[in-house]
Amino acid sequence: MMDFGKKDFSEEELVRLLECEDPEELAAMFAAARQLRQERQGNKIFAYGFVYFTTYCRNNCNFCYYRRSNDIERYRKNEEDVLAVAKALIDSGVNLIDLTMGEDPQYHAEKFETVCRIIRTIKETYQTPVMISPGVVDDAVIDKFAEAGADFYALYQETHNRALFERLRIGQSYDERMHAKLYARDRGMYIEEGLLAGVGEGPADIVRSLKMMGEIGAKQVRVMSFIPQEGSPMEKVKSPDRLEELKIIALMRLLYPDALIPASLDVDGIKGLEDRINAGANLITSIIPPKSGFMGVAHNTMDVDEGGRTVEEAAAILERMGLRIATKDEYRAFLAAR
């Protein structure tokens, strides 16, 4: 049985845990991850509102429903709609607004002026932290985001295996993507790094990603299971067993006790929340107001109109687990302490 109380894990140990099938050892790993979370933040769980405000994208990623060449219905929400949904989420009790978009050519053409106005309004009017997830942008645009007050810049590499990256993100530069997030970090924003499970990676690739997240100083780290998307080249690829995602969440917590680690509602909806929290996640993301006209990513409509992605629904599950949604002040204090 592994000693989960220690601070350092070798690459060989991490690989072994990713490959572990022993129920007793896995239970001990998940318990250790929960204990670390409890020591850092008690019974509080953070909540992020998700505003996916444009589904147009210039990229053609092999795994994505919104890839440029996919013949789907798309939307581009106006500034008023984005702010209205953001306010509804803030009023419902979320701690942060995640402004997510495809790499929309229209916003690139206008140098993200609209996006910066939205960031400033949320920060100044509602005093709420903002995460921006715009894909790869140049340094000048990142400067604008920083000056507008963005707190987080989220940009997932998906994998740190360069060959696999090239197969997933067709025609995109691994180094350009990495540069953007590191520049945002150097401009004073927190960065979020993420990996996609079930796209052809092996245990050694996952370990490399886990180590890289620490090396680049990511304050928020995440994993999501691949979901096959209609109309994409990977439409027939099977989604992985969720145990892989849960193991990765637990290892993230063991490696980075103070990290923000999401339990995403975007993969399995509200029914997948408890398992991810029990694996060591400390925040809920992809909260979306019902009947808002906004979509998710991995599952574009799952639980959205039905109200299954609300703070109220998540809070009821957490209450049964002896946990609760943190207040906005508690979230700010957590960030300030780290």
Side-chain angles (χ1 to χ4, degrees):
M1 177 76 70
M2 183 80 71
D3 174 14
F4 293 110
K6 64 182 185 176
K7 294 182 179 179
D8 296 315
F9 295 85
S10 69
E11 292 187 10
E12 292 76 15
E13 288 174 324
L14 294 172
V15 167
R16 188 176 77 76
L17 289 170
L18 286 169
E19 295 176 336
C20 179
E21 297 181 358
D22 176 39
E24 184 176 349
E25 185 157 31
L26 289 175
M29 179 172 70
F30 293 138
R34 292 194 298 274
Q35 179 61 34
L36 276 175
R37 183 189 65 215
Q38 176 74 23
E39 291 172 1
R40 267 34 183 209
Q41 64 189 75
N43 68 340
K44 302 182 291 295
I45 299 295
F46 306 121
Y48 286 8
F50 185 68
V51 185
Y52 194 16
F53 59 97
T54 173
T55 58
Y56 288 89
C57 191
R58 64 185 183 178
N59 294 329
N60 224 18
C61 300
N62 274 339
F63 57 87
C64 188
Y65 179 68
Y66 302 105
R67 67 196 310 263
R68 181 185 68 243
S69 63
N70 209 9
D71 184 17
I72 58 172
E73 185 176 348
R74 300 178 189 268
Y75 65 75
R76 183 183 292 117
K77 300 297 185 179
N78 63 38
E79 190 171 343
E80 291 72 23
D81 287 340
V82 173
L83 288 171
V85 169
K87 183 179 185 302
L89 286 164
I90 293 164
D91 289 345
S92 76
V94 302
N95 307 128
L96 172 145
I97 295 296
D98 177 2
L99 297 173
T100 296
M101 58 187 295
E103 292 195 16
D104 188 334
Q106 178 170 306
Y107 285 104
H108 280 266
E110 66 155 48
K111 303 298 184 184
F112 292 85
E113 292 294 337
T114 300
V115 177
C116 288
R117 283 198 305 273
I118 292 170
I119 294 171
R120 282 192 291 270
T121 299
I122 294 171
K123 293 284 293 186
E124 294 170 6
T125 304
Y126 305 117
Q127 293 79 50
T128 298
V130 173
M131 174 180 287
I132 183 69
S133 305
V136 176
V137 296
D138 62 33
D139 292 356
V141 171
I142 292 172
D143 289 338
K144 287 185 176 182
F145 291 155
E147 290 158 7
D151 300 272
F152 279 87
Y153 184 81
L155 187 65
Y156 317 141
Q157 213 73 4
E158 315 295 1
T159 177
H160 297 85
N161 176 324
R162 287 176 177 267
L164 180 56
F165 177 94
E166 290 176 3
R167 294 198 297 272
L168 296 174
R169 293 191 171 277
I170 305 303
Q172 298 175 54
S173 166
Y174 179 101
D175 292 317
E176 183 181 14
R177 196 170 186 86
M178 184 61 73
H179 167 81
K181 75 188 78 177
L182 295 182
Y183 184 77
R185 178 200 64 189
D186 293 344
R187 278 304 319 268
M189 284 183 271
Y190 300 114
I191 57 171
E192 182 186 31
E193 177 65 293
L195 62 94
L196 191 59
V199 289
E201 76 288 352
D205 296 317
I206 296 171
V207 169
R208 174 170 172 74
S209 288
L210 291 173
K211 294 289 190 179
M212 183 67 75
M213 289 171 171
E215 290 172 13
I216 66 175
K219 298 301 183 185
Q220 185 161 307
V221 294
R222 72 182 296 164
V223 56
M224 291 176 63
S225 294
F226 167 74
I227 302 294
Q229 302 296 325
E230 183 179 1
S232 74
M234 297 176 67
E235 181 176 359
K236 303 301 183 182
V237 175
K238 185 180 179 181
S239 187
D241 188 309
R242 294 298 182 267
L243 182 58
E244 179 179 1
E245 181 180 335
L246 299 179
K247 290 177 184 178
I248 295 170
I249 289 173
L251 292 179
M252 286 174 170
R253 177 61 60 213
L254 294 175
L255 289 170
Y256 309 116
D258 292 318
L260 290 158
I261 303 174
S264 177
L265 302 182
D266 210 47
V267 176
D268 295 315
I270 198 70
K271 69 180 184 294
L273 175 59
E274 185 170 350
D275 283 346
R276 290 168 173 83
I277 295 295
N278 276 332
N282 63 345
L283 72 92
I284 305 164
T285 191
S286 296
I287 292 173
I288 306 174
K291 302 186 185 304
S292 63
F294 286 70
M295 292 182 175
V297 179
H299 281 295
N300 56 337
T301 59
M302 177 182 279
D303 284 352
V304 176
D305 284 350
E306 298 85 353
R309 293 210 206 175
T310 63
V311 170
E312 183 179 17
E313 184 75 11
I317 292 172
L318 293 180
E319 184 176 4
R320 295 197 297 269
M321 301 171 70
L323 302 167
R324 65 176 177 84
I325 300 289
T327 67
K328 192 184 299 185
D329 287 342
E330 287 170 334
Y331 178 68
R332 286 202 197 96
F334 184 89
L335 288 182
R338 285 153 182 81

